[in-house]
Amino acid sequence: MNQRPEVVTTRSVFGAPCWVSLTTRDLAATQEFYGAVFGWEWRQGSLGDHFRVASADGVPVAGVAGVAAMWQMAVAWTPYFAVIGADEAVGRVRERGGTVAVGPVSLPPGRAALLADRDGAAFGIWEGELFGDWDLWRRSAPALVRLHTRDAFASAIFYGEVLDWASDLPGSCEVHYEDGEVVLRSRGAVVARIGSGALEAAPDPTVRPHWQVHFRAPDVAACARAAERHGGSVLTKSAEQVVLRDPDGAQFTVVERQG
């Protein structure tokens, strides 16, 4: 008799990014764009017609919600962090001056909330079962998430207290200061970076505090060409990475996959 694979929950990787989601206006155009850039395949999510799950080589890597216009939400990529308890994490956000946009809400097999830190950078939390093996998810697409913020140290304290970073709990994420940034490690792997310099009142939203999702790809230049062919734009470009904007305005980074 076949046994059910071991269920991986957020307790295994609490504090670390465990999912990324894109809010967009045009679901069909978004699928076409990211399919061309990354070769992602799509299936309908459990939440209904406005939601899709992207897969790379059969591994679920990201969610897309075509609700930006309907729910008057910003078009953007948002990272979700694993938490042991969603209610406790939301309470900590409120206590520390952050804001709660949605939740916690039950989305079987777990619970989620959409939040913002004290400087306005949006992020989510997830409590419950993961889509699959976290290490496999992390290797398949998102390389890491990077917070561009006003004060890296102040932000690291906020997130550390909300997400139990550098705590005495077994498996807690490690926090270090390296090369002018705060660096977060989970199971030895770098999963997030926090850098100072963003301006809260900047007219350009890409300069204001925000989380930037970094995806891996074997050919960065090919991703940039595909993005431009399908209505996106290249913001910055180097041999190792490129910052792109999709046709709907969401910004993300592509880094070279090693090996």
Side-chain angles (χ1 to χ4, degrees):
M1 182 175 66
N2 292 330
Q3 293 184 334
R4 185 171 183 251
E6 182 182 355
V7 174
V8 180
T9 73
T10 50
R11 288 182 176 271
S12 303
V13 294
F14 70 90
C18 64
W19 190 242
V20 292
S21 181
L22 172 64
T23 308
T24 189
R25 285 183 287 261
D26 190 329
L27 193 57
T30 296
Q31 291 179 87
E32 180 181 355
F33 176 82
Y34 286 96
V37 173
F38 293 123
W40 287 349
E41 298 179 342
W42 304 90
R43 64 176 175 82
Q44 184 171 314
S46 59
L47 299 179
D49 292 341
H50 297 290
F51 299 87
R52 297 291 185 273
V53 174
S55 296
D57 299 323
V59 178
V61 293
V64 176
V67 297
M70 182 180 6
W71 293 353
Q72 296 184 335
M73 298 176 67
V75 173
W77 280 101
T78 302
Y80 281 74
F81 292 85
V83 296
I84 296 174
D87 291 308
E88 292 84 350
V90 166
R92 293 173 185 173
V93 168
R94 287 196 175 105
E95 290 168 0
R96 288 156 180 80
T99 56
V100 179
V102 179
V105 294
S106 294
L107 299 171
R111 303 180 72 225
L114 183 61
L115 313 162
D117 65 23
R118 288 182 296 229
D119 294 320
F123 69 102
I125 57 169
W126 173 256
E127 171 201 351
E129 294 183 19
L130 302 180
F131 266 93
D133 187 299
W134 175 80
D135 287 310
L136 186 59
W137 168 78
R138 184 179 54 80
R139 292 194 301 268
S140 295
L144 57 83
V145 295
R146 187 188 300 269
L147 177 62
H148 300 266
T149 191
R150 178 181 54 82
D151 184 324
F153 286 104
S155 291
I157 292 171
F158 172 87
Y159 285 96
E161 292 176 342
V162 169
L163 302 173
D164 285 315
W165 291 352
S167 70
D168 57 2
L169 296 173
S172 174
C173 293
E174 299 176 0
V175 180
H176 302 277
Y177 185 71
E178 302 172 11
D179 300 324
E181 291 185 319
V182 175
V183 178
L184 181 73
R185 283 185 168 83
S186 179
R187 299 185 182 181
V190 175
V191 294
R193 292 179 179 271
I194 302 176
S196 300
L199 303 175
E200 292 178 76
D204 184 348
T206 64
V207 179
R208 295 198 293 267
H210 69 282
W211 282 97
Q212 181 98 345
V213 178
H214 292 231
F215 294 102
R216 290 188 180 92
D219 190 334
V220 171
C223 290
R225 292 193 297 270
E228 290 182 313
R229 285 198 303 269
H230 289 80
S233 55
V234 176
L235 302 183
T236 64
K237 186 177 181 181
S238 70
E240 293 78 25
Q241 73 173 39
V242 59
V243 179
L244 303 175
R245 181 179 285 140
D246 71 19
D248 222 3
Q251 182 176 305
F252 61 101
T253 300
V254 184
V255 298
E256 183 179 359
R257 175 181 289 144
Q258 302 295 328

